[in-house]
Amino acid sequence: MGEDVARDPECIFCKILEGDIPAYKLFEDEHTFAFMDINPLNDGHALIIPKDHHPNIFDTPTNVLAPLMETTQRIARAIQNSIAPDGINILQANGHGAAQSVFHVHFHVLPRKNGDDAKLNWGLRPGDMDHISDLAQQIRVAIKD
Ligand code: DGP
């Protein structure tokens, strides 16, 4: 990790990390990066990724998982304090059978609404980018050290 980050040039999340594709960034530190999901299940849906490319949880070293979980907690708290959903699921998918669509390990912070009847395979529908941008700003200001 760090200066010798492993990237996959074909990976969409690596392209975001390289700045080749735009993203609504929420937070970054030495090892992790957090940004808004562009196909949100609900308002405030965010993703947390390591800066190193690892396809899934099986391949991800524990020294990468630890800071990833720390950032996931930081973002979940910020979403709870800003968007104030009825609940939050933390979700991480491995393999097509688990509906993994991007093969760079990531945690979803999934805000939930009472009665949203969300399914594990919720389907990828494009969100409203202006709305996502507004939500990102609300979350950013709620992130604590
Ligand atoms: P999964 O299906 O668990 O692999 O989740 C991948 C998520 O990544 C999915 O909710 C949609 C999101 N996603 C896919 N492409 C992009 C992208 O280019 N930018 C952003 N911000 N999110 C993306």
Side-chain angles (χ1 to χ4, degrees):
M1 292 196 294
E3 291 177 4
D4 294 321
V5 285
R7 295 271 159 82
D8 174 347
E10 303 301 317
C11 168
I12 194 123
F13 288 174
C14 286
K15 289 179 184 171
I16 287 174
L17 289 165
E18 289 290 329
D20 294 338
I21 291 180
Y24 295 108
K25 174 179 150 181
L26 297 172
F27 174 85
E28 88 176 289
D29 61 14
E30 187 183 353
H31 302 305
T32 67
F33 189 89
F35 57 108
M36 301 297 281
D37 195 306
I38 53 165
N39 302 133
L41 169 69
N42 278 326
D43 280 1
H45 185 166
L47 300 169
I48 294 84
I49 61 174
K51 290 187 172 177
D52 275 339
H53 179 88
H54 303 284
N56 52 46
I57 200 142
F58 312 122
D59 300 326
T60 305
T62 50
N63 69 325
V64 174
L65 284 175
L68 199 56
M69 188 46 73
E70 192 179 330
T71 299
T72 299
Q73 183 192 45
R74 186 190 299 268
I75 297 302
R77 282 178 170 154
I79 290 170
Q80 191 61 42
N81 289 334
S82 55
I83 310 294
D86 297 321
I88 285 180
N89 287 119
I90 307 297
L91 186 108
Q92 191 276 319
N94 301 283
H96 293 288
Q100 184 179 10
S101 59
V102 178
F103 290 81
H104 181 129
V105 69
H106 52 278
F107 283 95
H108 293 260
V109 179
L110 270 183
R112 298 295 307 278
K113 287 187 232 169
N114 288 330
D116 67 12
D117 197 27
K119 305 281 186 291
L120 274 181
N121 297 5
W122 56 83
L124 300 179
R125 275 178 291 279
D128 175 322
M129 293 304 146
D130 288 340
H131 187 50
I132 292 174
S133 174
D134 288 346
L135 293 164
Q137 184 52 24
Q138 289 178 49
I139 296 166
R140 273 183 216 116
V141 299
I143 293 174
K144 304 238 174 23
D145 291 338

